[in-house]
Amino acid sequence: MTQNPHPLGQSIIDRAEALARFSDMEGGLTCAFLTPAHRSAQALLAQWMEEAGMQVRIDAIGNVIGRYAADAGADARVLMTGSHFDTVRNGGRYDGRLGILLPIAVVGALNASGIRLPYHLEIVGFAEEEGLRFKTSFLASSVLAGRFDAALLARTDADGVTLAEALAASGLPGHGELAALQAAAVDPATLLGFVEVHIEQGPVLLNKDLPLGVVTQIAGSSRFQVRIEGQASHAGTTPMGMRRDAAAGTAEMILLVESRCSAVPALVGTVGQLLVPDGSSNVIPAACTFSMDIRAGEDDIREAAIADIVAGIQQIAARRGLSAQVDRIKPVFNAPCARWLMDQFSAVLRKRGLAAFELPSGAGHDAMMMQRITDVAMLFVRCGNGGISHNPLETITAEDAQLAAEVFVDFLRHFQPEG
Ligand code: GLV
Ligand code: MN
Ligand code: MN
């Protein structure tokens, strides 16, 4: 019988497939915060962590945290790793999940060989990063980082259920009480740092023919919900010049986002949700709502674009006799990775004869929130299929997963605290 040449890599891929069977939809992977599929994914991750030799706890927001305890007498501080297990609608199997499954596989291998680390390693399966259910992202990491915004408890999902109600019904410890969410924060003084493994979600490594990369910084992002209001009237009788069409105005606003963000490299803007509430084919739209996501590697560039776009939206609305309400969801600022941690990943890559290629992240990650309380670094794994992500086509190879796992083992075994 031939041995699998990529045992760790293959096990990661098999587990990503097993986890993807829990979905809120038929025929694809959607795993929104605190749905039955999400709770099943959470339970399976906890089981895998225990089987790998970790002590597992679930916190007040639903994070699954496994600890691979250090030898007695070793550094009592914690190196944290992890990523999220919620997904976007009809998303990929590796976004977030790779950063949980890979460290679990690595700990399982270390444990099987009787190797302990000279510090506590904790793997966090973050319960919410994507913002799908409550239209606000980083819920889980904001709790762990002690940055939870109490106002979010009143936020509703599409069915009108508040975050507080969803947490109270969940059976999670603390039942959604603010005090419990606050108490779930980690003490930054206990942390050695936070490192996150993530699929790249873009084509850079693929085009460079490189399996792995070291992230330099994570681009800041701002999300908005916009509501445009005009006037409903008859589609057959209202002359074109007399209309206050909320959807036509919105179309112009979307093109403004596109043209303003196209003007600057590394600035990106997206309208990913667009709705004509209660629209009819023979009625001029009275209202239109849309989401807006604007990102850049530099906060100043992003803020300048936002100021122009918001002013432009108001001008378009005024010219067309519409009203515009632009609600900003808390921005997440640009997060630089720590050079001392990046260097330790690069040293492992070079030792294995691999390029220590550095690249910025355009996508958001749990590491951004963790960077508020500790130093962070990220290891990117090549994304197949042209680099497509937030899409069921998102993929990695067993070979790359194996290599990433081996690099991560080396990183953990040679890890030196700062200073
Ligand atoms: C998370 O995936 C994000 O970058 O939106
Ligand atoms: Mn994502
Ligand atoms: Mn992700």
Side-chain angles (χ1 to χ4, degrees), residues 137-170:
S137 48
F138 301 103
L139 274 179
S141 49
S142 72
V143 166
L144 211 63
R147 298 290 192 276
F148 179 73
D149 176 1
L152 294 177
L153 285 169
R155 220 177 165 85
T156 50
D157 68 5
D159 297 324
V161 178
T162 64
L163 174 58
E165 288 163 349
L167 284 167
S170 69

Side-chain angles (χ1 to χ4, degrees), residues 37-47 58 62-64 85 127 172:
H38 185 267
R39 300 309 301 273
S40 299
Q42 181 193 52
L44 189 53
L45 286 171
Q47 180 192 320
I58 294 189
N63 293 323
V64 193
F85 62 93
L172 287 170

Side-chain angles (χ1 to χ4, degrees), residues 224-403:
F224 299 80
Q225 286 293 325
V226 186
R227 182 175 177 89
I228 307 301
E229 287 190 3
Q231 189 170 55
S233 63
H234 199 291
T237 59
T238 315
M240 294 307 286
M242 287 178 60
R243 296 176 177 220
R244 292 165 55 207
D245 183 332
T250 295
E252 206 181 326
M253 294 165 194
I254 295 172
L255 293 177
L256 167 69
V257 172
E258 185 185 50
S259 64
R260 178 61 178 83
C261 293
S262 302
V264 181
L267 175 68
V268 287
T270 306
V271 173
Q273 289 172 318
L274 180 60
L275 201 66
V276 179
D278 304 319
S280 303
S281 59
N282 58 352
V283 180
I284 294 162
C288 194
T289 60
F290 59 98
S291 64
M292 208 163 63
D293 175 313
I294 298 174
R295 308 188 192 203
E298 286 177 41
D299 292 330
D300 292 355
I301 291 179
R302 190 181 77 253
E303 290 302 326
I306 288 168
D308 288 351
I309 289 168
V310 172
I313 286 174
Q314 294 298 353
Q315 281 160 13
I316 293 166
R319 173 161 45 75
R320 288 173 165 268
L322 307 168
S323 68
Q325 185 188 329
V326 182
D327 291 329
R328 183 171 191 169
I329 297 161
K330 246 185 171 170
V332 184
F333 297 105
N334 187 46
C337 293
R339 176 49 65 185
W340 69 273
L341 276 169
M342 291 168 60
D343 284 349
Q344 294 192 35
F345 273 119
S346 298
V348 174
L349 291 170
R350 284 199 202 90
K351 200 176 70 185
R352 301 181 68 96
L354 297 164
F357 179 72
E358 295 186 354
L359 71 169
S361 173
H365 299 292
D366 297 293
M368 298 174 90
M369 192 55 78
M370 296 308 289
Q371 195 264 344
R372 310 284 286 278
I373 59 163
T374 191
D375 283 348
V376 304
M378 292 192 71
L379 182 70
F380 267 179
V381 180
R382 170 165 50 193
C383 184
N385 270 340
I388 195 158
S389 181
H390 282 182
N391 184 308
L393 291 175
E394 176 193 271
T395 193
I396 59 170
T397 64
E399 192 176 355
D400 286 356
Q402 176 75 29
L403 197 59

Side-chain angles (χ1 to χ4, degrees), residues 129-130 223 295 363-364 390:
E129 188 264 359
E130 299 283 11
R223 294 190 193 180
R295 308 188 192 203
H390 282 182

